[in-house]
Amino acid sequence: MAMSEMFTQLGSVAAGIMFLWAMFQQYFPYELRPHIQKYSQKLVSFVYPYIQITFQEYSADRWRRSEAYVAIQDYLSSNSSSRARRLKADIIKDSQSVALSMDDHEEVTDEFQGVKLWWDSGKSSPKTQIFSFYPASDEKRYYRLTFHKRNRDLIVGTYLNHVIKEGKAIAVRKRQRKLFTNNPSQNWYGYKRSVWSHVPFEHPATFETLAMESKKKEEIVTDLTIFRTRKQYYSKIGKAWKRGYLLHGPPGTGKSSMIAAMANLLNYDIYDVELTSVKDNTELRKLLIETTSKSIIVIEDIDCSLDLTGQRKKKKKEEEKEESKDDPLLMKGKENESKESKVTLSGLLNFIDGLWSACGEERLIVFTTNHVEKLDPALIRRGRMDKHIELSYCCFEAFKVLAKNYLDIDSHNLFPSIERLLGETNMTPADVAENLMPKSITDDPETACLEDLIQAIETAKEEARVKAEKEAKEKEEEEERLKKEKEAKEKEEAAGEVKEKEKTEEKVKENGVVPTVKENGAVS
């Protein structure tokens, strides 16, 4: 009987509270409500010992998600699947894995240095009815952290920094890496502005599959690993946390595969800069600002991208300008040409090593070229391109890597012949790999591919011999031609001297004047 009376009283109290709240909402002046809430919260704080911190999904302008909110979301996703009762599931783009996160109005507990705290997620809808094509975007999501006030210094000073750092690290580990390329500058402005376009980066190259000497691979891997862990060291010596690599060698020696292997080793994004679509140095600087940390900035075939070889041609340009004044068509062509890229060597140097190069951290800058001798020494000096890596023709050690990759073999009775031929002939890894790829179904594809490779190397060797003989013959003919021209010129000069001497003698006979012979042999 006493229990039923207690429930009756509780029901009456609840009904009374609801009635008072309804009257408050309907009749109490709206202007006075903030004051009531302010003082009521102060009153509650005397008996409620917990502090709450709210992290909104969007900042006031609602144009960009809060970095703190995203980091907290990633941090909580790592333990919400084992602690939360209600979860949201989503498939990560370009991945087969399912990502779990806390559902709305769900709560999970966390513990840090023996202190217990609570995270809960929520959302709030706008109080006024708003017509929107995207009603979900009008909802404001948030995370709320609750903890005891005696742990305020620990939570605010240490725990939150720990959460943000761990959340960002989790985001890096689970992210889909991207391959970027720069857009034309007319796409950089407006509502859908986009300086870079991207696709998922899924290149499978690794240092284990690269066809090059193992010693050189180990050296490069060690250099990259040391760079990744040297943030404090770079700060100590006063340098931006970046490093330049120059990859040079003949076409087909694996420069692009080397870049992909670097990205896969370090888990970095790649920004492939197309210099010919960059109008001037200002646009180049803007591209740099829009890149992120943990990335590789690549300019491939830099010797072909722009005239950055260091050959200053001001005099020639002035002569062409003078000539074009009299030719309207030529002048119009020059005007169209002037609308093309005006990126200068100075602008590129500032891009890789100037003040603006320090706007991000943990980045590699990689140049590739087939003709390193054409580049300006200022562009590739140490400090800008810190490490020069030559990728040359295929050696026997590189061939064994390719044989393992393509044929899954470590040895064969044809290996000694291939080793001898590769020592005598220059063949790129790309050409070797093409011959190792099975092109038909046979009972013994390994032997068939190796025989094809031997035949290809012998053909390349014969072509190189014929080419060398032809070049030697042409050189000999050129030397013979120059020799004949020299002899003809000497004969002509001798004949001219004899003719001049005869004229002088005739003059003496006519005038009776004895010519004076100077020390240099000239006659006056």
Side-chain angles (χ1 to χ4, degrees):
M1 190 71 178
M3 185 67 68
S4 61
E5 290 179 358
M6 184 179 67
F7 278 115
T8 302
Q9 292 176 359
L10 286 175
S12 300
V13 171
I17 293 174
M18 292 176 64
F19 175 76
L20 292 175
W21 178 252
M23 296 297 292
F24 175 81
Q25 293 284 350
Q26 186 170 1
Y27 297 107
F28 200 85
Y30 183 80
E31 293 78 6
L32 298 179
R33 291 181 188 180
H35 299 283
I36 298 297
Q37 292 176 354
K38 175 182 176 181
Y39 291 107
S40 63
Q41 288 175 0
K42 284 187 176 182
L43 181 62
V44 171
S45 65
F46 286 108
V47 294
Y48 186 73
Y50 293 94
I51 297 176
Q52 294 181 337
I53 302 178
T54 303
F55 299 88
Q56 300 289 346
E57 182 178 10
Y58 288 94
S59 56
D61 55 15
R62 288 189 61 82
W63 285 109
R64 188 176 181 180
R65 295 183 79 191
S66 167
E67 292 185 8
Y69 180 90
V70 174
I72 293 169
Q73 185 179 46
D74 292 326
Y75 175 80
L76 294 177
S77 67
S78 63
N79 59 16
S80 61
S81 59
S82 60
R83 299 183 181 182
R85 294 185 178 182
R86 291 184 296 112
L87 301 168
K88 292 188 296 185
D90 195 7
I91 296 178
I92 301 175
K93 185 179 179 181
D94 303 314
S95 175
Q96 299 298 322
S97 61
V98 177
L100 299 176
S101 60
M102 293 170 53
D103 198 0
D104 295 329
H105 308 295
E106 181 63 13
E107 182 180 89
V108 294
T109 59
D110 195 12
E111 188 171 334
F112 181 74
Q113 296 184 8
V115 175
K116 189 175 182 181
L117 35 86
W118 298 264
W119 286 99
D120 67 275
S121 63
K123 66 177 180 180
S124 59
S125 301
K127 296 181 180 180
T128 57
Q129 294 295 327
I130 300 176
F131 176 77
S132 174
F133 289 103
Y134 306 98
S137 63
D138 296 327
E139 297 176 341
K140 296 181 180 180
R141 283 182 164 78
Y142 60 86
Y143 285 110
R144 181 185 290 117
L145 172 63
T146 305
F147 56 92
H148 200 283
K149 61 183 179 181
R150 66 170 174 263
N151 302 315
R152 184 188 192 112
D153 293 338
L154 175 65
I155 301 302
V156 175
T158 307
Y159 175 71
L160 289 180
N161 290 334
H162 164 75
V163 170
I164 300 300
K165 183 179 179 180
E166 286 296 316
K168 290 182 177 180
I170 293 170
V172 169
R173 289 196 297 267
K174 75 177 185 180
R175 70 187 172 123
Q176 170 67 58
R177 289 183 297 119
K178 300 182 179 74
L179 172 63
F180 294 84
T181 186
N182 50 304
N183 291 325
S185 57
Q186 58 263 29
N187 297 343
W188 291 10
Y189 307 98
Y191 174 68
K192 295 185 177 181
R193 60 180 295 274
S194 177
V195 176
W196 297 93
S197 296
H198 69 268
V199 295
F201 178 72
E202 299 174 342
H203 200 293
T206 63
F207 277 94
E208 288 76 13
T209 61
L210 282 184
M212 60 188 303
E213 301 91 333
S214 58
K215 184 177 180 181
K216 182 178 287 188
K217 283 198 286 189
E218 291 175 4
E219 178 186 343
I220 298 170
V221 169
T222 302
D223 189 81
L224 291 169
T225 305
I226 292 174
F227 166 78
R228 181 169 54 180
T229 59
R230 286 293 184 92
K231 179 177 181 178
Q232 299 299 329
Y233 177 77
Y234 276 85
S235 177
K236 175 185 174 183
I237 63 177
K239 288 186 64 176
W241 190 13
K242 64 179 181 61
R243 188 161 176 80
Y245 288 82
L246 175 67
L247 309 182
H248 61 96
T253 53
K255 293 183 286 293
S256 298
S257 297
M258 170 68 75
I259 296 171
M262 288 178 171
N264 287 328
L265 174 69
L266 300 174
N267 200 27
Y268 284 4
D269 293 326
I270 295 179
Y271 289 86
D272 186 10
V273 181
E274 178 55 56
L275 281 180
T276 55
S277 65
V278 182
K279 288 185 178 180
D280 51 34
N281 296 336
T282 302
E283 288 192 359
L284 185 63
R285 191 181 304 121
K286 186 173 180 61
L287 284 174
L288 178 64
I289 295 172
E290 294 289 335
T291 61
T292 61
S293 300
K294 295 183 181 295
S295 61
I296 302 177
I297 301 174
V298 179
I299 302 180
E300 291 195 277
D301 297 320
I302 192 170
D303 55 304
C304 303
S305 297
L306 294 173
D307 184 16
L308 300 171
T309 59
Q311 302 297 328
R312 316 301 196 250
K313 301 180 180 179
K314 294 182 179 178
K315 184 176 180 181
K316 183 178 179 181
K317 288 182 179 179
E318 290 176 359
E319 293 175 355
E320 291 177 352
K321 187 176 180 180
E322 291 295 330
E323 293 175 0
S324 62
K325 286 182 179 179
D326 301 328
D327 191 342
L329 293 177
L330 187 60
M331 177 65 78
K332 185 176 180 180
K334 294 295 181 182
E335 290 177 357
N336 293 332
E337 185 177 329
S338 65
K339 297 179 181 179
E340 297 178 357
S341 179
K342 295 181 181 179
V343 175
T344 63
L345 178 62
S346 174
L348 187 59
L349 295 181
N350 290 328
F351 173 80
I352 62 176
D353 195 36
L355 293 174
W356 289 95
S357 66
C359 64
E361 59 181 16
E362 198 174 352
R363 290 191 295 202
L364 301 180
I365 300 176
V366 181
F367 292 167
T368 71
T369 179
N370 298 332
H371 306 282
V372 66
E373 68 280 356
K374 292 184 178 181
L375 298 179
D376 194 299
L379 185 64
I380 59 176
R381 68 163 176 81
R382 308 293 177 173
R384 291 191 174 117
M385 293 293 103
D386 303 285
K387 191 170 183 63
H388 295 195
I389 302 174
E390 181 181 6
L391 300 174
S392 189
Y393 295 102
C394 187
C395 62
F396 181 66
E397 188 175 359
F399 158 75
K400 289 195 293 184
V401 175
L402 293 173
K404 181 65 176 177
N405 294 342
Y406 285 82
L407 304 176
D408 199 22
I409 57 175
D410 296 311
S411 62
H412 196 277
N413 56 4
L414 293 177
F415 274 21
S417 300
I418 295 174
E419 182 178 7
R420 175 181 56 81
L421 289 171
L422 287 176
E424 300 171 350
T425 310
N426 289 335
M427 179 173 276
T428 64
D431 292 331
V432 173
E434 177 61 27
N435 286 282
L436 291 179
M437 187 174 293
K439 300 176 179 62
S440 61
I441 301 175
T442 62
D443 295 334
D444 191 4
E446 295 84 4
T447 302
C449 290
L450 294 177
E451 288 176 349
D452 290 344
L453 176 61
I454 290 175
Q455 184 177 357
I457 298 176
E458 290 176 343
T459 302
K461 182 179 178 181
E462 180 63 20
E463 291 176 353
R465 184 188 64 80
V466 172
K467 183 179 179 181
E469 290 178 354
K470 182 179 178 181
E471 290 177 351
K473 185 178 179 181
E474 291 177 351
K475 183 178 179 181
E476 184 179 347
E477 291 176 353
E478 180 68 14
E479 291 176 351
E480 185 67 22
R481 183 182 66 80
L482 293 174
K483 183 179 179 181
K484 289 181 179 179
E485 289 180 355
K486 184 178 179 181
E487 291 177 351
K489 187 175 181 181
E490 290 176 351
K491 289 180 180 180
E492 185 178 349
E493 290 176 353
E497 290 177 358
V498 171
K499 189 174 182 181
E500 184 68 25
K501 186 176 180 181
E502 290 176 352
K503 287 183 179 180
T504 303
E505 291 176 352
E506 290 177 0
K507 186 176 180 181
V508 170
K509 290 179 180 180
E510 291 176 359
N511 301 328
V513 179
V514 180
T516 302
V517 181
K518 297 182 179 179
E519 293 181 358
N520 58 2
V523 180
S524 61

